[in-house]
């Protein structure tokens, strides 16, 4: 069976920033860069998290923003956690391609496995210096890692997309991969079109089953959990919901802007 | 490999390529007042909360789609976890999430451009069912399917649909509020599904749909708790197919209205099993998750092949053959 569930023991916990932790566990399920798992916190919730490591030892990197994510970050080494997955299509990167990875905030977690596999140039953007995470990990695999902060406290003063535009103008990239807030990805997609560079972006929608069954994570006719979460240039062009609309837990349309 | 070999070695093998053209229309079914070009429908609750998704399933080869069960008001459903894989299928307790009939009208409009849509509705009493069904008819549904069988929503579904008296009164209330065919979707979590079927027929149902999910629970050993937030849910997928086939077989023997078979169908052979047991049409749910929307096209092609191999000129000729 492709998708399995397993209860695993936390074997490592690292603090990445004041509200973000990486939790490591042993799990030999096959996974590709860009896939995610559903993480259950008994009595609280079950939420999607990208795999920030995909080998025999896997990891998730979680920013505490609410009840479930904070509960995950309260887990300690030795605690058990039940996971479902890995789900989703992941990035599909040909070896020959010259790749630029563009991350916003905790979105870098989903890109680390792809950065590891390709050693690609990487931009990590955040609001301020304290929120730049996993740049040390990225530097282990990539020779060119640039940072950007909205307040200029570290690296390029501006957002990740502005920096990506500069880099695209200087170097010939074949492919941009990205993960971060949807507005950022929307403008990254625009920037890639302007520069005639293919892109693959990892998107988010509210998820329940994660397995392409319940239909709650639809963007137009596609399921973010199964047809995505990574969508290519052409798919993104065809998604009228991209950057404009999402659906709530009842299936009602909510405008993003 | 084996099936490939048989296909190639088959005496009619050379003809198989032209089969599609020859068999055009052979998958057509008429049952009750409905005519569908293909016998397999999308089951309620799978990829059918939005118009574009329903349209995609019809374009993938579904003869019709049954909508997510819709209620009067928007409902978020149960809190996650609402779903988990198990050996042989899924256990879910979505808890009937839906945007409410008012907003769902827009989704219906989009889906109907692609093909026929059966409106599934749930309520806590006969009046709600009647109101919702009338709205579904206004929206353009070709039939209405009454969810009398969801096993995991308090006050709805199987909680009211396990009692034949309720089934009968709800069906007859809906009957008098709509002109389109009324189908009753039955629960297998009962001592006699045939009694529920009879009650639906007495109430004026034009078809019964069987089965909904089997009440089930999953517990994590390490975490010592039921996994689903609702604690229990419903089992679907290949594991429940023999239960569904038996239900259809018995219902076909007891009723004079058509039976729609659902439960664990993921290939043409599963579909054929239901047809031979007495189903006039069938629905596919969980397999859309495991195999993707292409499952409809695969089933259609497989059935056409089976029909030509075994000399069936129409789906109707297959219905109930295993009962003879
Ligand atoms: C494919 C995917 C991969 C993700 N990867 C990561 C990751 O690697 N690291 C990380 O920190 N975050 C990731 N997220 C976001 C993460 O799922 C949310 O931050 C988390 O669910 C918040 O839950 P909460 O209870 O803490 O917050 P809440 O206060 O309950 O919710 C805050 C927001 O989180 C989102 N959210 C809540 N529940 C869900 C759900 N079931 N499905 C989708 N979104 C939800 C909603 O947008 C909501 O508005 C990912 C999301 C998706 C869809
Ligand atoms: C995630 C999920 C949601 C479902 N939601 C509904 C629903 O809203 N209404 C309903 O009548 N049946 C619902 N069902 C039951 C299916 O329509 C079907 O009867 C059952 O899953 C058996 O078929 P299958 O094995 O092909 O999935 C749901 C099933 C699943 C797996
Ligand atoms: S979360 Fe259920 S289909 Fe995507």
């Amino acid at each position: 069976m492709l998708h399995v569930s397993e209860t695993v023991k936390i074997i490592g916990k690292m603090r990445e920033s004041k509200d973000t932790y990486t939790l490591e566990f042993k799990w030999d399920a096959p996974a590709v860069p860009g896939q995610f798992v559903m993480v259950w916190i008994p009595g609280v919730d079950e939420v999607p998290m990208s795999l920030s490591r995909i080998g025999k030892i896997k990891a998730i990197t979680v920013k505490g923003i609410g009840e479930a994510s904070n509960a995950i970050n309260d887990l300690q080494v030795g605690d058990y956690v039940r996971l479902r997955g890995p789900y989703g299509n992941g990035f599909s990167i040909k070896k020959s391609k010259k790749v630029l990875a563009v991350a916003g905030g905790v979105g870098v977690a989903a890109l680390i496995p792809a950065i590891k596999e390709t050693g690609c140039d990487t931009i990590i953007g955040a609001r301020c210096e304290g929120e730049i995470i996993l740049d040390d990990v990225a530097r282990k695999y990539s020779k060119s890692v640039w940072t950007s902060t909205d307040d200029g406290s570290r690296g390029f003063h501006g957002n990740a997309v502005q920096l990506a535009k500069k880099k695209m103008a200087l170097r010939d990239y074949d492919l941009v991969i990205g993960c971060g807030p949807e507005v950022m990805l929307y403008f990254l997609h625009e920037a890639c079109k302007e520069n005639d560079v293919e892109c693959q972006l990892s998107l988010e929608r509210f998820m329940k089953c994660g397995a392409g069954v319940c239909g709650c994570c639809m963007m137009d006719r596609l399921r973010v959990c199964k047809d995505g979460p990574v969508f290519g240039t052409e798919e993104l062009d065809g998604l009228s919901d991209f950057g404009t609309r999402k659906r709530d837990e009842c299936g009602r349309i909510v405008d993003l802007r | 490999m084996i099936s490939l070999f048989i296909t190639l070695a088959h005496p009619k093998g050379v003809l198989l390529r032209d089969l599609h053209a020859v068999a055009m229309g052979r998958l057509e079914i008429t049952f009750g007042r409905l005519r569908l070009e293909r016998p397999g429908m999308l089951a309620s609750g799978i990829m059918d909360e939005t118009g574009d998704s329903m349209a995609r399933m019809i374009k993938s080869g579904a003869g019709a789609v049954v909508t997510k069960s819709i209620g009067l008001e928007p409902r978020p459903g149960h809190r996650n976890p609402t779903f988990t894989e198990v050996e042989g299928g899924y256990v879910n307790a979505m808890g009937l999430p839906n945007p409410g009939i008012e907003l769902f009208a827009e989704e219906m409009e989009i889906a109907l451009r692609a093909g026929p849509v059966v409106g599934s509705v749930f309520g806590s009493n006969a009046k709600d069912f009647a109101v919702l069904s009338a709205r579904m008819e206004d929206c353009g549904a070709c039939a209405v399917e009454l969810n009398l069988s969801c096993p995991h929503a308090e006050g709805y579904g199987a909680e009211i649909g396990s009692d034949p008296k309720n089934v009968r009164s709800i069906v007859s209330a809906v009957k008098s509020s709509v002109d389109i065919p009324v189908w009753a979707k039955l629960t297998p979590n009962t001592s006699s599904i045939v009694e529920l079927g009879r009650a639906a027929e007495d109430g004026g149902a034009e078809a019964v749909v069987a089965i909904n999910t089997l009440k089930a629970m999953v517990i994590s050993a390490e975490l010592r708790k039921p996994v689903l937030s609702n604690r229990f849910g419903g089992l679907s997928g290949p594991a429940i197919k023999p239960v569904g086939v038996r239900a259809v077989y018995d219902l076909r023997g007891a009723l004079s209205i058509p039976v729609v078979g659902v439960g664990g169908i993921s290939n043409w052979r599963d579909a054929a099993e239901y047809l031979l047991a007495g189903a006039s049409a069938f629905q596919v749910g969980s397999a859309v998750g495991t195999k993707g929307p292409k499952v409809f096209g695969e089933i259609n092609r497989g059935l056409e092949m089976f029909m030509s191999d075994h000399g069936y000129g129409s789906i109707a000729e297959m219905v109930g053959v295993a009962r003879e």
Side-chain angles (χ1 to χ4, degrees):
Chain A
M1 202 149 128
L2 200 59
H3 300 307
V4 288
S5 60
E6 194 147 312
T7 306
V8 298
K9 204 187 244 182
I10 307 291
I11 57 168
K13 179 174 181 178
M14 279 89 71
R15 186 172 190 254
E16 308 292 355
S17 76
K18 69 175 193 311
D19 58 6
T20 304
Y21 291 84
T22 294
L23 298 162
E24 292 178 331
F25 41 88
K26 238 189 239 142
W27 190 26
D28 54 15
V32 301
Q35 285 192 302
F36 69 95
V37 291
M38 295 295 293
V39 184
W40 176 42
I41 316 93
V44 182
D45 205 340
E46 188 193 41
V47 292
M49 289 290 159
S50 303
L51 289 169
S52 57
R53 281 181 75 173
I54 59 168
K56 279 220 162 50
I57 291 179
K58 294 187 170 55
I60 52 175
T61 300
V62 179
K63 183 177 170 73
I65 60 160
E67 216 187 335
S69 49
N70 283 320
I72 296 173
N73 282 343
D74 283 343
L75 291 170
Q76 303 301 331
V77 171
D79 286 348
Y80 287 99
V81 62
R82 185 181 192 266
L83 308 171
R84 296 193 284 119
Y87 292 122
N89 56 355
F91 295 100
S92 120
I93 304 172
K94 290 212 184 68
K95 280 264 169 330
S96 56
K97 299 244 156 142
K98 184 140 180 57
V99 182
L100 173 66
V102 183
V106 74
V108 65
L111 297 180
I112 290 290
I115 296 168
K116 181 176 178 183
E117 280 193 7
T118 60
C120 63
D121 293 358
T122 300
I123 294 172
I124 301 175
R127 269 180 303 216
C128 59
E129 179 171 23
E131 292 184 9
I132 298 269
I133 57 164
L134 299 178
D135 53 316
D136 52 331
V137 180
R139 281 206 176 85
K140 280 203 288 192
Y141 310 118
S142 161
K143 281 196 285 291
S144 308
V145 177
W146 303 290
T147 55
S148 73
T149 49
D150 297 348
D151 66 357
S153 52
R154 177 153 163 213
F156 175 77
H157 188 171
N159 64 45
V161 178
Q162 290 167 329
L163 182 55
K165 280 187 183 171
K166 284 186 185 297
K167 298 297 177 189
M168 278 191 264
L170 290 174
R171 299 193 187 186
D172 265 339
Y173 292 107
D174 306 307
L175 173 67
V176 167
I177 60 173
C179 186
E182 191 152 322
V183 261
M184 167 200 143
L185 296 179
Y186 182 85
F187 288 108
L188 184 58
H189 177 230
E190 295 291 311
C192 289
K193 281 199 288 192
E194 281 161 27
N195 288 278
D196 201 20
V197 179
E198 186 198 332
C199 69
Q200 292 179 16
L201 308 179
S202 178
L203 305 184
E204 292 182 9
R205 280 297 179 271
F206 198 91
M207 285 180 186
K208 295 180 181 177
C209 75
V213 181
C214 73
C216 80
C217 66
M218 304 305 297
M219 290 180 77
D220 297 70
R221 51 185 277 286
L222 299 177
R223 301 162 290 183
V224 174
C225 71
K226 184 100 176 186
D227 302 307
V230 178
F231 295 100
T233 305
E234 272 170 39
E235 282 170 322
L236 293 165
D237 281 337
L239 289 179
S240 68
D241 286 349
F242 180 42
T244 61
R245 287 182 294 272
K246 62 175 186 175
R247 292 191 183 256
D248 68 7
E249 286 146 272
C250 307
R252 288 177 296 199
I253 292 169
V254 180
D255 287 329
L256 284 180
R257 285 189 278 183
Chain B
M1 262 333 264
I2 291 170
S3 67
L4 181 70
F5 176 72
I6 291 170
T7 308
L8 294 173
H10 195 279
K12 289 185 234 157
V14 283
L15 293 176
L16 290 180
R17 214 166 7 149
D18 307 321
L19 205 69
H20 208 72
V22 179
M24 277 292 276
R26 198 192 301 184
L27 290 179
E28 187 178 301
I29 55 164
T30 2
F31 77 106
R33 289 179 280 157
L34 280 186
R35 194 189 65 78
L36 300 178
E37 279 172 36
R38 295 172 294 268
M41 297 172 242
L42 175 71
S44 179
I46 292 92
M47 307 298 304
D48 48 11
E49 205 173 87
T50 62
D52 286 324
S53 181
M54 288 189 275
R56 178 182 179 188
M57 298 305 147
I58 291 175
K59 287 175 193 152
S60 302
V65 295
V66 184
T67 68
K68 176 77 200 160
S69 293
I70 303 297
L72 287 171
E73 300 295 334
R75 231 178 107 96
H78 296 312
R79 193 158 206 198
N80 279 355
T82 45
F83 174 97
T84 190
E85 288 91 348
V86 292
E87 197 107 7
Y90 305 137
V91 177
N92 90 84
M94 306 311 300
L96 297 173
N98 79 98
I101 189 74
E102 215 65 56
L103 288 171
F104 198 70
E106 295 165 32
E107 312 295 342
M108 290 287 289
E109 205 182 306
I110 296 168
L112 280 161
R113 282 181 222 140
V117 180
V118 177
S120 171
V121 296
F122 73 92
S124 56
N125 56 59
K127 183 167 158 274
D128 290 358
F129 271 102
V131 170
L132 285 159
S133 299
R135 292 299 310 274
M136 276 294 184
E137 180 170 36
D138 293 344
C139 289
C142 67
V144 61
E145 182 180 286
L146 311 181
N147 181 346
L148 298 162
S149 43
C150 174
H152 49 69
E154 222 181 306
Y156 298 107
E159 282 198 11
I160 44 178
S162 304
D163 182 347
K165 280 205 296 292
N166 289 340
V167 170
R168 194 195 150 119
S169 67
I170 290 168
V171 171
S172 78
V174 171
K175 249 337 251 185
S176 51
S177 77
V178 299
D179 290 324
I180 51 176
V182 179
W183 302 352
K185 185 165 176 188
L186 307 177
T187 175
N189 303 304
T190 171
S191 55
S192 172
I193 196 166
V194 165
E195 242 182 88
L196 297 177
R198 283 211 188 92
E201 183 167 31
D202 290 348
E206 280 184 43
V208 292
V209 182
I211 54 176
N212 208 312
T213 53
L214 285 164
K215 212 164 173 174
M217 182 182 274
V218 177
I219 289 174
S220 160
E222 290 89 344
L223 297 162
R224 289 170 254 139
K225 282 190 175 65
V227 170
L228 300 180
S229 75
N230 188 56
R231 297 192 299 284
F232 62 87
L235 175 65
S236 64
I240 71 166
K241 191 185 69 178
V243 179
V245 170
R246 192 283 301 183
V248 166
Y249 191 95
D250 284 359
L251 286 163
R252 175 73 277 140
L255 311 183
S256 50
I257 52 174
V259 182
V260 178
V262 51
I265 298 175
S266 52
N267 57 45
W268 67 264
R269 194 178 271 112
D270 299 335
E273 233 184 288
Y274 270 96
L275 294 168
L276 297 170
S280 303
F282 58 89
Q283 299 177 352
V284 180
S286 301
V288 177
T290 49
K291 297 196 145 181
K294 70 174 193 311
V295 69
F296 289 106
E298 287 171 6
I299 291 176
N300 291 340
R301 284 189 296 278
L303 276 179
E304 283 178 348
M305 207 95 93
F306 175 73
M307 288 167 75
S308 76
D309 282 357
H310 291 261
Y312 291 114
S314 71
I315 292 284
E317 289 172 25
M318 292 169 67
V319 175
V321 164
R323 315 181 44 78
E324 285 159 12

